[in-house]
Amino acid sequence: MVSGNNLGVHAPNFLHKKNLLFNMATLQSDLGYFAEAEQFLVDIQKTDEETYGKESAEYFESSKALIELYILTDQAQKTLEESLNLRKSTEKNSLENIVTYKWEGDAYSIQGSFKKAERSLNKGIEIYQKNGLEGTFEYASILNSMAILYLE
């Protein structure tokens, strides 16, 4: 992923505003105001896309926060849409790309589509293993999703 900075002298103000919005989203989510949290995160994601582009680390991180909120609130369709869109903008076999299989599997699990969930999670696990990424937090996370799926 490439991170560009098109902000120039406005960077400190922009980053301060972005951090404030992210903190507000976290607070709203913690208080159970998920729709409000979602709006903050959608705004951050849109700003990151416009400022840095879809292939940037900033866009990935804001998308990740939004996807994690969707999983937390059992919004499977939004999780699927965001994770598939994010997969298209990440480098194949990168950690950012592979983690989208975990989110896809989680979304299918939320929907009750357990075979699809298992396929997605297995695909991600296979890619982690092929690329020697078994020692990563993300690998442990996808294994955890698989364990939860088998317990359901």
Side-chain angles (χ1 to χ4, degrees):
M1 301 190 100
V2 177
S3 176
N5 184 340
N6 302 322
L7 301 174
V9 295
H10 303 290
N13 289 337
F14 171 80
L15 295 176
H16 176 72
K17 180 180 175 185
K18 181 179 170 180
N19 287 337
L20 179 63
L21 289 173
F22 185 78
N23 289 338
M24 288 298 296
T26 302
L27 178 62
Q28 296 293 331
S29 177
D30 289 349
L31 293 173
Y33 298 110
F34 300 116
E36 292 82 355
E38 177 183 9
Q39 190 55 56
F40 281 118
L41 293 173
V42 166
D43 290 345
I44 293 168
Q45 182 193 45
K46 183 177 179 183
T47 301
D48 283 346
E49 179 180 359
E50 292 168 355
T51 306
Y52 302 107
K54 278 192 167 188
E55 283 135 22
S56 67
E58 291 82 2
Y59 181 78
F60 177 83
E61 289 300 321
S62 58
S63 297
K64 176 183 173 185
L66 187 57
I67 290 167
E68 289 174 347
L69 177 69
Y70 290 151
I71 291 169
L72 175 69
T73 56
D74 291 337
Q75 296 185 62
Q77 192 57 42
K78 288 183 177 182
T79 301
L80 281 171
E81 290 168 7
E82 287 295 325
S83 61
L84 294 174
N85 284 333
L86 196 56
R87 186 177 304 152
K88 293 176 190 173
S89 66
T90 57
E91 185 179 332
K92 188 176 181 181
N93 295 335
S94 65
L95 278 175
E96 294 85 0
N97 180 270
I98 306 168
V99 75
T100 63
Y101 291 98
K102 180 223 181 286
W103 296 327
E104 182 181 78
D106 289 345
Y108 284 134
S109 182
I110 291 166
Q111 287 180 336
S113 300
F114 301 119
K115 289 289 182 194
K116 286 182 178 181
E118 184 179 32
R119 272 195 302 272
S120 295
L121 295 171
N122 275 327
K123 174 78 172 166
I125 290 168
E126 178 184 319
I127 297 170
Y128 279 113
Q129 291 171 344
K130 279 184 181 177
N131 290 284
L133 298 170
E134 295 97 328
T136 63
F137 170 79
E138 292 82 0
Y139 181 72
S141 183
I142 200 168
L143 291 177
N144 187 58
S145 287
M146 183 67 85
I148 291 169
L149 175 67
Y150 286 150
L151 290 174
E152 292 182 331

